Amino acid sequence: MHKPVVLGLALLLPALGWAAPKAGTTRTDAASDITFVYVPAGCFQMGSNNGEDDEKPQHEVCLAKGFWMGQTEVTQQQYKKVVGEVSSKFNDGDNHPVESTSWRKFVAMADTLSQQTGKRFRLPSEAEWEYACTAGGRHSERCGDADVDEMAWYLDNSDESTQPVGEKEPNAWGLMDMNGNVREWLQDCWNPSYAGAPADGAAWLSGNCTTRVLRGGSWSIEGERLRATNRNRNDIISPSGFIGFRLVQEE
């Protein structure tokens, strides 16, 4: 039902003089020093009928517009450049992901950056995150096809701490650290299954909205739990050394 809309936009935009960037194209925002990767429009199968109950039912999602996603999780240095200060449990270096900050403060950082630049920055939706992680369905198990040690900082190799971003293998679209290092806050309110979930890639903003969805593994997670479809959650006022974020910039 949604595919004709995606294809229609793909045909219309070049006729209007605009061509979408190639998947994996990068650009860096000067105000934050965050590098973004272009994620194209498309359809994919979200969730897993073989996973946990909250990953079901698997369903088709079609994103009619491409967007720019942070190549890595936001680092402490990038956060400080926008906000002016940072408080993280792990202060081993500016290139480590910022963590130990609540969902509300991460949303506020995105809003501040939007005000500074006149562009629209926000947290990803859950559908956008999984779509980008799997490169539109190209990767089935994790956010890439390399060995888990090559793709992620997790329990077996993290030395019980966050690690610098961008040191592990990227997925097919050039996105890094989606498997591990820190879990990532998303826009979506928590719902215990996908029954009734949006099919257009938008954030699901009904349900338990004092609790928001987390995606990706962290430095404390076992390798077998680093699946692309694995879901978690946390309340919006509670910071954690396991949780950071990455940003989306709208086209």
Side-chain angles (χ1 to χ4, degrees):
M1 179 177 180
H2 297 270
K3 289 182 180 178
V5 176
V6 177
L7 294 175
L9 284 172
L11 293 172
L12 177 62
L13 290 173
L16 296 175
W18 185 87
K22 182 180 178 182
T25 300
T26 61
R27 70 184 186 193
T28 300
D29 170 65
S32 62
D33 288 335
I34 297 173
T35 296
F36 290 86
V37 174
Y38 188 72
V39 176
C43 299
F44 79 116
Q45 293 296 316
M46 182 174 179
S48 171
N49 289 329
N50 299 315
E52 303 293 334
D53 287 346
D54 61 13
E55 301 170 31
K56 304 172 185 176
Q58 189 179 64
H59 57 290
E60 184 177 62
V61 173
C62 289
L63 294 85
K65 292 176 60 178
F67 57 93
W68 297 85
M69 176 172 271
Q71 188 173 42
T72 68
E73 296 143 345
V74 174
T75 67
Q76 295 180 32
Q77 183 176 24
Q78 291 163 347
Y79 188 87
K80 283 189 290 187
K81 186 168 183 180
V82 176
V83 177
E85 60 181 1
V86 64
S87 176
S88 289
K89 176 180 178 180
F90 301 103
N91 293 306
D92 298 323
D94 284 345
N95 207 37
H96 285 236
V98 63
E99 29 74 20
S100 299
T101 297
S102 71
W103 181 87
R104 286 177 171 172
K105 288 188 177 181
F106 284 142
V107 170
M109 183 268 195
D111 290 343
T112 297
L113 184 58
S114 298
Q115 293 166 6
Q116 290 176 352
T117 63
K119 303 170 185 176
R120 173 63 174 147
F121 296 90
R122 56 173 174 79
L123 298 182
S125 72
E126 185 173 15
E128 288 172 338
W129 191 96
E130 187 173 321
Y131 176 72
C133 157
T134 63
R138 183 176 302 184
H139 308 302
S140 58
E141 184 178 359
R142 298 190 178 96
C143 305
D145 293 328
D147 180 82
V148 64
D149 284 296
E150 297 175 351
M151 286 191 297
W153 295 112
Y154 69 113
L155 184 62
D156 288 358
N157 65 8
S158 68
D159 198 26
E160 299 184 352
S161 173
T162 62
Q163 297 294 330
V165 304
E167 294 190 348
K168 293 295 185 178
E169 289 295 316
N171 75 353
W173 286 347
L175 294 157
M176 302 177 180
D177 295 297
M178 299 193 81
N179 293 280
N181 217 353
V182 287
R183 292 191 184 277
E184 299 175 18
W185 284 114
L186 301 179
Q187 290 189 61
D188 301 59
C189 304
W190 175 253
N191 287 274
S193 80
Y194 288 133
D200 61 358
W204 197 356
L205 299 179
S206 62
N208 182 358
C209 293
T210 62
T211 298
R212 300 286 173 147
V213 176
L214 300 172
R215 282 304 200 99
S218 77
W219 55 266
S220 66
I221 296 298
E222 299 88 350
E224 57 268 22
R225 295 174 62 192
L226 300 179
R227 295 181 297 105
T229 57
N230 183 258
R231 306 175 72 212
N232 214 308
R233 62 195 184 277
N234 201 52
D235 70 81
I236 60 176
I237 62 172
S238 296
S240 169
F242 306 115
I243 305 172
F245 76 127
R246 74 180 68 217
L247 289 179
V248 157
Q249 181 186 347
E250 295 181 355
E251 182 54 65

